[in-house]
Amino acid sequence: MRVRSVLATMVVLGALGLLPAPAGARSVAYVDQGAVWLSTLDGEQKVRLAGPVTRPDGAVEAYIDVAQADNGRILAVRNEPGKTARLSTYRVWEPDGTSTVQGPLTAPAGWFISIYPLGLDLSSDGTFVTYGYANSSGCCPITGADGTYVRNADGNVLDPIDVTTGDWPTFSGSRLVTGSGTTTSTQDAAGAPLGPAFTPWLDFGAVGLDLLRTDVAANGKVAAAEFEQRDPNSAVVVGKVAVLGIDALGGATTGTPDCFLASTGPASDASLSQDATRIAWRDGGGVKVAGTPVTAADPCVLTSPPVTISATGTHGSIGGADVTRFLPVVPPAAGPGTTPPPPGTTTPPPTATGPAPTTPTPPTPGLGVALPARVSVAALRATR
């Protein structure tokens, strides 16, 4: 079904003010085999920011999600597979390549089961991080709650603010965009990003699939909405990404672009560049980046062909980080008259900026690539 016809009955109650146009994006951050990577949008330069971390007790914590801000700040979440989300931690990389901030990815206590992050994103300036949750009480009866957390990304141990409305959140500038049922809502500008007031925006009820994230370019010109359908075993059987032209965050659709991305298998993890000219997504072929469509042709006719950044990557997030700031520092070549090192000595290889995690035992294949949060949420909801 065409997205334009689906939105014929959409609710347009949001503010219509235009955002200033930001600079174009430089890179895409992603998770691959439990490690965090950063790549140029053409895939020509790549650097591994961090690998799985081995704790003193021998347990291995894999990175499971990553988000990049428009200004180039990067935040990645890690946890030991199978452990409660309340044991999740995060690490931050600054646009200059340094990494000094890390801390627990917290949640308020009081729930028997806490599942998060459902979606992960940073405000444009990298100050705030948001993530959705699905919580459940103990028996009996079992009660549950879905919603969105927001907190400062400075490494503190404080609990996040629960803005409650919707889940699978993203940021457009400093305002949240969330989904609830079949409707995407935008956070009211007053009090953003911690305010509880939201306005319904796009109604996707006629699509017939479950609505997840809706990413909105920082310039307020294009939105990308994710949909999925799961089988009784919670495996994704349908995954689509719709790309829509809009006149502003919370505003009306423009009719172009208006299409679903063609994909190899289920598509997800959509991320738009600040200037709405590039889109990243994940499908059966891995993390890809292409030029954003500008017509209503369906499936989307991309303005530049897809580039596969990683065939096994997930959670691609476009932002302003300069990859060269994160590349290893190469020592200058020895000049004339330099005394060679004593026999039997070697010059240690250059290392990437920031402390390198220890990885004495390789992670199991696919570690950190699957999306256990989504599977767990489907199972959790089925028990209510």
Side-chain angles (χ1 to χ4, degrees):
M1 181 175 293
R2 295 295 300 276
V3 177
R4 183 169 48 193
S5 62
V6 167
L7 298 178
T9 59
M10 75 173 189
V11 181
V12 183
L13 299 176
L16 297 180
L18 294 177
L19 296 173
R26 292 185 173 187
S27 59
V28 56
Y30 61 97
V31 173
D32 196 351
Q33 306 288 336
V36 183
W37 288 78
L38 186 68
S39 170
T40 53
L41 297 179
D42 59 9
E44 292 299 317
Q45 284 187 305
K46 300 176 182 178
V47 60
R48 191 173 88 152
L49 303 186
V53 173
T54 301
R55 299 200 309 259
D57 62 2
V60 177
E61 296 180 355
Y63 283 94
I64 58 175
D65 208 344
V66 65
Q68 183 179 182
D70 295 338
N71 73 348
R73 201 179 202 209
I74 299 168
L75 182 149
V77 177
R78 70 175 187 260
N79 201 350
E80 181 184 351
K83 295 296 185 179
T84 175
R86 293 181 62 83
L87 296 178
S88 299
T89 59
Y90 69 89
R91 181 176 172 184
V92 172
W93 289 264
E94 307 299 345
D96 64 2
T98 61
S99 178
T100 60
V101 176
Q102 56 186 338
L105 194 69
T106 54
W111 293 97
F112 182 68
I113 297 175
S114 293
I115 299 175
Y116 62 86
L118 305 181
L120 181 76
D121 204 8
L122 287 166
S123 57
S124 286
D125 62 4
T127 300
F128 292 94
V129 58
T130 184
Y131 43 104
Y133 66 83
N135 296 332
S136 177
S137 70
C139 188
C140 289
I142 296 176
T143 60
D146 304 294
T148 290
Y149 294 139
V150 183
R151 56 162 292 167
N152 194 286
D154 62 3
N156 67 63
V157 298
L158 299 177
D159 283 342
I161 301 298
D162 186 350
V163 300
T164 66
T165 301
D167 52 15
W168 297 102
T170 59
F171 270 113
S172 181
S174 62
R175 294 171 60 187
L176 291 169
V177 180
T178 64
S180 180
T182 61
T183 302
T184 293
S185 296
T186 59
Q187 188 178 40
D188 294 356
L194 304 177
F198 284 73
T199 299
W201 180 22
L202 305 175
D203 184 356
F204 292 104
V207 173
L209 300 172
D210 295 330
L211 171 66
L212 300 180
R213 299 167 61 254
T214 300
D215 193 43
V216 180
N219 69 357
K221 294 300 184 181
V222 176
E226 300 176 17
F227 306 91
E228 72 171 20
Q229 178 181 325
R230 292 177 177 270
D231 63 19
N233 296 319
S234 202
V236 177
V237 294
V238 178
K240 292 187 175 183
V241 172
V243 185
L244 306 170
I246 54 177
D247 62 15
L249 176 63
T253 57
T254 60
T256 53
D258 173 23
C259 55
F260 286 107
L261 289 176
S263 64
T264 303
S268 62
D269 298 346
S271 177
L272 290 160
S273 64
Q274 303 96 295
D275 59 5
T277 62
R278 299 292 186 93
I279 183 170
W281 74 96
R282 174 214 181 187
D283 60 22
V287 172
K288 301 176 180 179
V289 174
T292 308
V294 294
T295 73
D298 199 8
C300 297
V301 177
L302 302 170
T303 51
S304 64
V307 174
T308 299
I309 303 299
S310 168
T312 53
T314 62
H315 301 294
S317 181
I318 293 180
D322 181 352
V323 175
T324 61
R325 295 291 188 94
F326 298 83
L327 294 175
V329 177
V330 179
T338 301
T339 302
T345 65
T346 59
T347 301
T351 56
T353 302
T358 57
T359 55
T361 304
T364 55
L367 188 64
V369 175
L371 301 180
R374 294 187 180 180
V375 175
S376 301
V377 171
L380 174 61
R381 287 173 173 162
T383 64
R384 297 183 187 170

